[in-house]
Amino acid sequence: MTIDVFWRIPTHGEPSSHRNRTPHRGDWFPGDDSKAKSGSVGNGSDGANYIDYIAEIAHAAEISGFQGGLIPSFPMTDEPWVISSLLARETSTFRFMIPFQPGFLNPVVAARMTASLQRATGGRALYNIITGGGGPAQLWWGDSASHDDRYGRTTEFLDVLKGVWNGGPFSYHGKFYQVEDAGLADPLSKEEYPEIYFSGSSDAALASASKHADYYLTWLEPFEQLRDKFDRVKARTQILGRKIKCAIRVDIIARPTEEEAWAEIEKGFNSLSREALDKFQNPDGSDSVGAARQRSNRPTTINSYKDLIIEPNVWSGFSLLRGGQTNGIVGSYEQVAEKLDELVALGADAFILASTPHLEEAYRVGEEVLPLLRGKTDTAILRAVV
């Protein structure tokens, strides 16, 4: 069994630690004026910019044993397709996981863009297909389609993209897309079709994933919930005569001792405002089933960071410290590796890991955690560690 391990590239900037919101790195950090102070914080420019910083992170992940990295896509980030092209020139083997919502691109154009990137990078591109969480965030993109229509559109998009990849002629007549005699020209049609990591927790998402995904990607959830989710998507896929692997996106805080790891969480939690906690407990409207599943594990009253410990070494307040997903793993190097091993035994075939700051933590996790995970069992050999 081969386990793929990816890192995360913070294209939206980041704080310098989980316990301190400033100083920042990069020039996108929400609520900061760092765009005017690129480089040395508060002292004007030092000639470096955020591309230099995320290039350092990609280098660090590459030499620390990660197979590649997720390039996030949010309203406050740069465009992942562009960033991937830039970082491709800064790395040698690092693979770029590009997240995008299919409704915002024509599938034939997406196929040509991807094949061109594959040709330029030696096949280092792969997809994280996301379909959107609805509500205000979805309207930011100008998309008012209903939840199930978004997943129907995603399925058709991937039907067309795969259909034109091998040169055509390919025709398609669906609800959302109509294509006549389309196809990629050589040599683009000869490029390797990208692996697809597919996100979504609803029944509509699982139906789409079972048809097209190589990896079903989920946030970390309580372990038994994950087991059930993995079983459901695999059962759907088997009906179609396919096999699917499963992947988990999870933040971690790993330190030499468990006490040091929880101290990071405690300091970060104690620095939060009441307003931040209220927003955490009463988020903006969304029809995302995955987000709702994350929220369902939160306590109704939060007075201490300990209130958010939902399982041993699993903390459900990570989005308070840096935004993004809620659940993550906290502990010593050995404990974090053990938790990841448990997830492998449960059915995980790949991970997208992250920790703040991503530069230093890429080295720490690569040097201290991945070797422990590799050594736990002869059957769980990390492709990321050689």
Side-chain angles (χ1 to χ4, degrees):
M1 180 179 181
T2 300
I3 305 298
D4 292 341
V5 183
F6 292 83
W7 194 238
R8 186 178 186 275
I9 305 297
T11 49
H12 43 59
E14 62 176 344
S16 60
S17 73
H18 284 102
R19 63 184 183 273
N20 184 14
R21 304 302 289 174
T22 55
H24 55 265
R25 298 173 178 183
D27 64 2
W28 281 93
F29 195 56
D32 227 347
D33 63 351
S34 53
K35 280 183 283 189
K37 301 175 181 177
S38 177
S40 298
V41 176
N43 296 314
S45 175
D46 62 1
N49 59 38
Y50 76 104
I51 290 293
D52 297 316
Y53 177 57
I54 62 176
E56 284 191 62
I57 295 172
H59 277 299
E62 184 174 49
I63 67 175
S64 296
F66 293 92
Q67 189 186 5
L70 174 68
I71 317 293
S73 177
F74 295 106
M76 69 287 198
T77 69
D78 283 295
E79 172 52 53
W81 295 92
V82 176
I83 296 301
S84 296
S85 298
L86 292 170
L87 294 184
R89 303 292 291 180
E90 302 290 335
T91 55
S92 300
T93 62
F94 194 78
R95 301 183 69 198
F96 305 98
M97 187 179 293
I98 302 171
F100 69 97
Q101 297 192 37
F104 309 150
L105 278 176
N106 176 284
V108 180
V109 173
R112 189 170 67 161
M113 288 170 55
T114 309
S116 297
L117 188 57
Q118 292 288 65
R119 188 179 180 212
T121 65
R124 289 194 274 153
L126 59 159
Y127 291 152
N128 171 205
I129 299 296
I130 51 179
T131 306
Q138 199 67 20
L139 289 172
W140 186 93
W141 300 95
D143 184 20
S144 59
S146 68
H147 178 278
D148 286 3
D149 271 352
R150 293 198 304 274
Y151 279 102
R153 183 177 62 193
T154 291
T155 300
E156 288 194 10
F157 179 98
L158 293 172
D159 286 342
V160 174
L161 192 148
K162 185 174 291 185
V164 303
W165 189 274
N166 292 324
F170 175 79
S171 298
Y172 188 90
H173 302 281
K175 177 179 178 181
F176 301 96
Y177 300 102
Q178 294 79 42
V179 175
E180 294 289 346
D181 296 331
L184 294 183
D186 289 346
L188 296 181
S189 65
K190 305 302 183 184
E191 292 299 322
E192 181 180 358
Y193 189 74
E195 288 183 316
I196 295 176
Y197 283 68
F198 194 107
S199 303
S201 295
S202 66
D203 287 339
L206 297 184
S208 188
S210 65
K211 184 175 183 180
H212 283 293
D214 299 292
Y215 289 83
Y216 173 68
L217 176 63
T218 179
W219 287 329
L220 181 70
E221 296 182 2
F223 284 23
E224 286 307 310
Q225 289 185 21
L226 279 180
R227 186 190 305 275
D228 175 69
K229 184 186 282 190
F230 289 169
D231 288 345
R232 284 191 293 132
V233 73
K234 287 180 178 180
R236 283 178 176 267
T237 308
Q238 287 172 356
I239 291 173
L240 299 177
R242 299 181 65 243
K243 290 186 177 181
I244 194 170
K245 297 180 179 180
C246 294
I248 300 173
R249 181 175 165 183
V250 55
D251 279 38
I252 62 176
I253 294 182
R255 294 293 183 269
T257 68
E258 182 177 16
E259 292 74 20
E260 290 175 86
W262 284 115
E264 289 287 311
I265 292 290
E266 183 177 16
K267 290 173 183 177
F269 182 88
N270 289 343
S271 70
L272 295 170
S273 66
R274 185 70 250 178
E275 180 183 6
L277 283 172
D278 290 342
K279 186 175 181 179
F280 177 74
Q281 293 181 279
N282 301 283
D284 294 335
S286 166
D287 61 13
S288 168
V289 173
R293 288 170 68 99
Q294 295 251 314
R295 290 194 299 270
S296 68
N297 299 300
R298 298 175 188 170
T300 55
T301 301
I302 303 174
N303 295 313
S304 164
Y305 79 93
K306 294 180 180 180
D307 294 331
L308 293 167
I309 300 175
I310 59 173
E311 290 186 4
N313 298 107
V314 177
W315 194 64
S316 64
F318 271 84
S319 60
L320 282 165
L321 303 185
R322 72 149 186 83
Q325 66 176 331
T326 292
N327 299 326
I329 300 172
V330 182
S332 68
Y333 301 143
E334 293 79 8
Q335 288 171 323
V336 171
E338 286 170 3
K339 281 294 178 183
L340 295 175
D341 275 341
E342 288 179 35
L343 292 168
V344 171
L346 184 146
D349 301 285
F351 295 103
I352 302 172
L353 304 181
S355 193
T356 302
H358 286 73
L359 177 58
E360 289 86 346
E361 293 298 319
Y363 290 118
R364 183 198 300 272
V365 175
E367 292 172 359
E368 304 290 355
V369 176
L370 295 189
L372 296 178
L373 178 60
R374 177 189 60 179
K376 281 294 179 182
T377 170
D378 292 337
T379 61
I381 302 173
L382 289 174
R383 185 189 301 177
V385 181
V386 293

